[in-house]
Amino acid sequence: CVQGLLEVLQIPYNGPGVLGAALGMDKLAQRKLFQGAGIAAPKTIPIFYDTWEKERSAAISRAQKEIGFPCVIKPRDEGCSTGISIAHTAEELGEAASQVFSTSKTTLVEELLNGMEVTVSVLGNEEVVVLPPTETPKKSLNGFLTLEEKFLPGRAEMITPARLPQDVLEGTKDTAKRACATVGVIGYPRVDLFVAADRIVVLEVNTLPGITPSTMVFHQAAEIGLSPSQFLDRIIALGLDAHKNKKGP
């Protein structure tokens, strides 16, 4: 919505245009696009609010049958771990879904992945540079990185580059680049993914990832010789360049 307003006002902004920004906020749409592009994503089923109101037991049974326990419950259209829960029973799934429906019309139930969680930043518009991936080990008892752990200093461990074989590292970078191109995001998107067994699984593409002193993007930028101020200069220049060269939103 903000991108659309800025387009009408002809004001430059960072990140993708209207379509890329909208897709970047819709995890279900992203996963459908990934499927078509041959990019692995977590096995996911949506539960829509109308279905939940009318056929709650059937929705829980379907999730149990198709995804199983434990499973991840999350909103379709939130970020920064907002609204995420891990359900181990049908009762927990019901409670978590009801919580999601207080703010969203769609709840996603997805498989719980085991492996290394890795995040990859992609810098650029038409031509991009993929920054060195960061490993984010889970320290939380919740089983996932919480909002506080992601953004408060000292609450999460971030290791750049990720402790992976070189060929796997390159695989994560290639997958992140393909995911961004598939969703149509530019600027400085971040791709969250899992390296699980013999596959690289994309969780989501983040269109405007948070930039605070404790986030990993500055670590990744430093690995290619960019200071924090140089990185910020770069993304501002990319926003201005995208605005100058675009045809339509």
Side-chain angles (χ1 to χ4, degrees):
C1 295
V2 172
Q3 284 82 357
L5 175 62
L6 294 173
E7 290 285 348
V8 171
L9 298 175
Q10 298 186 356
I11 296 175
Y13 55 88
N14 292 119
V18 172
L19 178 59
L23 291 172
M25 284 302 298
D26 190 328
K27 294 177 174 63
L28 183 59
Q30 282 190 41
R31 290 176 184 184
K32 291 180 178 179
L33 288 172
F34 293 153
Q35 183 179 24
I39 298 172
K43 185 177 181 181
T44 306
I45 63 168
I47 303 177
F48 303 106
Y49 181 72
D50 289 345
T51 301
W52 184 251
E53 285 293 285
K54 298 173 183 177
E55 304 172 2
R56 184 170 306 194
S57 296
I60 292 175
S61 295
R62 180 192 171 208
Q64 184 172 355
K65 180 180 179 180
E66 297 187 21
I67 305 297
F69 295 116
C71 59
V72 179
I73 315 299
K74 62 175 61 172
R76 175 179 184 167
D77 48 6
E78 283 283 4
C80 298
S81 300
T82 302
I84 292 182
S85 301
I86 295 178
H88 298 84
T89 65
E91 183 179 2
E92 289 181 358
L93 191 156
E95 292 173 354
S98 294
Q99 184 62 39
V100 170
F101 283 125
S102 67
T103 58
S104 178
K105 287 189 173 182
T106 310
T107 293
L108 300 184
V109 182
E110 67 180 43
E111 65 174 310
L112 178 64
L113 295 167
N114 292 309
M116 179 186 293
E117 188 168 358
V118 175
T119 184
V120 188
S121 298
V122 179
L123 185 62
N125 293 337
E126 286 81 14
E127 297 183 8
V128 301
V129 175
V130 184
L131 305 188
T134 296
E135 174 187 347
T136 53
K138 289 192 282 289
K139 296 170 65 177
S140 172
L141 296 177
N142 294 300
F144 59 89
L145 284 175
T146 64
L147 174 65
E148 293 77 15
E149 288 169 331
K150 287 180 176 179
F151 292 106
L152 293 180
R155 294 295 298 272
E157 184 178 5
M158 301 174 189
I159 302 168
T160 309
R163 296 171 296 183
L164 291 167
Q166 188 61 38
D167 61 329
V168 180
L169 273 178
E170 293 303 320
T172 62
K173 293 169 69 174
D174 179 67
T175 300
K177 182 177 179 180
R178 290 172 56 214
C180 289
T182 299
V183 177
V185 294
I186 59 173
Y188 62 107
R190 190 190 76 230
V191 181
D192 297 335
L193 47 82
F194 262 86
V195 178
D198 58 347
R199 60 181 182 146
I200 297 172
V201 183
V202 176
L203 291 178
E204 62 187 23
V205 171
N206 300 274
T207 59
L208 294 169
I211 300 179
T212 69
S214 62
T215 54
M216 74 287 293
V217 67
F218 290 131
H219 308 170
Q220 297 179 3
E223 289 288 323
I224 64 166
L226 291 177
S227 68
S229 60
Q230 289 172 326
F231 177 77
L232 294 174
D233 287 344
R234 180 75 65 88
I235 65 174
I236 291 170
L238 287 168
L240 292 171
D241 187 62
H243 180 77
K244 179 181 67 176
N245 293 321
K246 71 176 50 176
K247 296 181 180 179

